Amino acid sequence: MICLGVESTAHTFGASMVDDDDRVITNVNSTYRPPAGVGIHPRKASEHHAAVSDSIIGKAIRSSEGGQFDPDAIAYSAGPGLGPCLRIGATVSRALASYLGKPLVPVHHGVAHLDIAMSLGHVRDPLAILVSGGHTAILVHVDRRWRVYGETQDITLGNVLDMFAREARLPAPGGASVERAAKEGHELLNLPYTVKGNDVAYSGLLTAATNLMKQGANLEDVCYSLQEIAFSMLSEAVERSLVQTRRNEVLLAGGVAANSRLKEMIGSIAEDHDASFYPVPIEYSGDCGAQIACSGSLAFRHGVMVAEQDSHVTPRWRMDEVDVPWIPRT
Ligand code: AMP
Ligand code: MG
């Protein structure tokens, strides 16, 4: 069983083929980069996706021997995400499924971030941390669903880093730029720290860090302090959640999981509590076709598919609204 996955929720249009051993055969992605100082405009990103979709899918279905793979199912990112971007991926996938006469599988983008991280790490029943542009959540799998154990009460960790980087006119992706600058910073500046139970709230931190930067504080020190405080807040919530849920595996997934300081902090919490730590490999941390192909393949083998006329997109869609029966009960 080979599954083609199509990703298009936000900045990236991607396509990938995954086999029934969950092996990634191809993974081809193209990312829309807005000009410095500007956020992602949904229509501009969707125009990028429409322009590259043909060549990205063409490359993803081509085998290294020059032939073409024949997918048994077509999976697409059905949400959550930016409406115009989601519709490009869904339209292309519908057309392909109809032309090839293959079933169409809707995939939740956040669940897919966890699926690829679980699959690559051979993880069974973790405390899962999803940190990206769209999500900041601490989750456990209970009774067929990912349950949100803690989350951000306002903006996501990826958004904090992206919005700060935009104000500082650092290039996208903001998180990577902040990480580079933070490595040169040394002084921990005074910034607000807000944890409420297992939840975090980041908007006060973002405002304070942006103000410090505008008042002329050293940019490297602000980036260093922003990372230290933002990641410590999440780490505190993760540590409490880990103790309460008694999991012995910790999974870290999503675009911000590329950050080495965050991996160091979460990894040390796992170690302190005798849990194994599974950060997603950096190649698959940010949005990519492979996460959709992987999740779609699992879902299809559990009977998930949708008729073409019902293949809508859902720009707002919570993780805990999706059945994920492919994660075994332990
Ligand atoms: P995703 O939506 O999963 O592709 O994640 C995108 C988010 O990951 C954006 O907010 C990026 O700024 C962030 N990101 C990418 N690389 C890094 C990094 N090295 N450190 C922190 N965040 C990063
Ligand atoms: Mg994502």
Side-chain angles (χ1 to χ4, degrees):
M1 209 287 281
I2 294 183
C3 182
L4 167 67
V6 176
E7 158 61 22
S8 75
T9 53
H11 46 73
T12 296
F13 187 91
S16 162
M17 308 287 295
V18 164
D19 71 12
D20 49 6
D21 292 325
D22 297 326
R23 226 163 21 103
V24 179
I25 307 170
T26 60
N27 182 32
V28 188
N29 298 283
S30 170
T31 298
Y32 168 72
R33 295 265 179 246
V38 181
I40 295 179
H41 189 293
R43 184 175 46 76
K44 290 255 162 59
S46 73
E47 285 167 3
H48 161 269
H49 295 354
V52 301
S53 60
D54 186 25
S55 82
I56 295 291
I57 290 177
K59 284 180 194 151
I61 61 173
R62 211 165 298 139
S63 73
S64 48
E65 292 84 40
Q68 272 197 0
F69 294 112
D70 185 19
D72 299 292
I74 318 275
Y76 71 102
S77 226
L82 306 172
C85 297
L86 286 169
R87 283 190 281 278
I88 300 293
T91 304
V92 169
S93 302
R94 248 179 245 129
L96 266 174
S98 152
Y99 178 71
L100 298 171
K102 301 292 163 140
L104 196 55
V105 183
V107 166
H108 184 288
H109 175 89
V111 168
H113 269 299
L114 299 188
D115 278 331
I116 189 145
M118 297 267 291
S119 162
L120 293 169
H122 304 287
V123 185
R124 288 186 54 80
D125 187 24
L127 181 79
I129 306 154
L130 176 55
V131 276
S132 65
H135 292 91
T136 294
I138 302 168
L139 310 112
V140 282
H141 186 258
V142 181
D143 196 16
R144 294 171 70 90
R145 287 191 176 189
W146 284 109
R147 309 288 166 171
V148 179
Y149 206 76
E151 62 187 330
T152 177
Q153 293 188 346
D154 46 30
I155 48 181
T156 65
L157 185 51
N159 271 179
V160 174
L161 301 171
D162 289 341
M163 288 197 270
F164 177 83
R166 212 181 303 152
E167 291 290 333
R169 301 200 72 84
L170 295 170
S177 293
V178 170
E179 178 173 29
R180 264 193 309 277
K183 287 193 173 131
E184 308 303 320
H186 305 288
E187 193 187 341
L188 187 62
L189 306 171
N190 196 14
L191 288 171
Y193 178 104
T194 317
V195 178
K196 300 173 184 183
N198 297 318
D199 288 349
V200 293
Y202 282 129
S203 54
L205 171 62
L206 172 63
T207 305
T210 305
N211 287 345
L212 275 183
M213 185 263 300
K214 287 185 174 165
Q215 286 156 12
N218 176 281
L219 181 61
E220 284 78 18
D221 286 340
V222 181
C223 289
Y224 167 72
S225 308
L226 176 62
Q227 277 201 171
E228 290 301 303
I229 302 296
F231 297 168
S232 300
M233 285 165 52
L234 183 66
S235 298
E236 182 192 327
V238 165
E239 182 161 28
R240 193 174 300 116
S241 304
L242 185 60
V243 171
Q244 290 168 343
T245 60
R246 299 201 177 102
R247 293 304 198 266
N248 55 23
E249 298 167 320
V250 176
L251 184 83
L252 184 65
V256 187
N259 190 287
S260 37
R261 180 64 180 134
L262 180 63
K263 281 191 268 198
E264 188 182 10
M265 283 196 196
I266 303 289
S268 86
I269 287 169
E271 194 181 339
D272 285 350
H273 294 273
D274 294 324
S276 307
F277 179 48
Y278 301 93
V280 67
I282 197 162
E283 187 187 350
Y284 300 106
S285 58
D287 294 353
C288 60
Q291 71 187 89
I292 307 305
C294 174
S295 192
S297 176
L298 288 162
F300 180 64
R301 282 182 269 148
H302 281 78
V304 177
M305 61 183 98
V306 67
E308 194 187 315
Q309 66 272 18
D310 300 324
S311 58
H312 312 297
V313 297
T314 312
R316 287 179 179 274
W317 192 9
R318 278 182 63 89
M319 297 274 292
D320 45 14
E321 291 171 341
V322 190
D323 278 339
V324 280
W326 48 92
I327 300 177
R329 249 180 245 268
T330 45

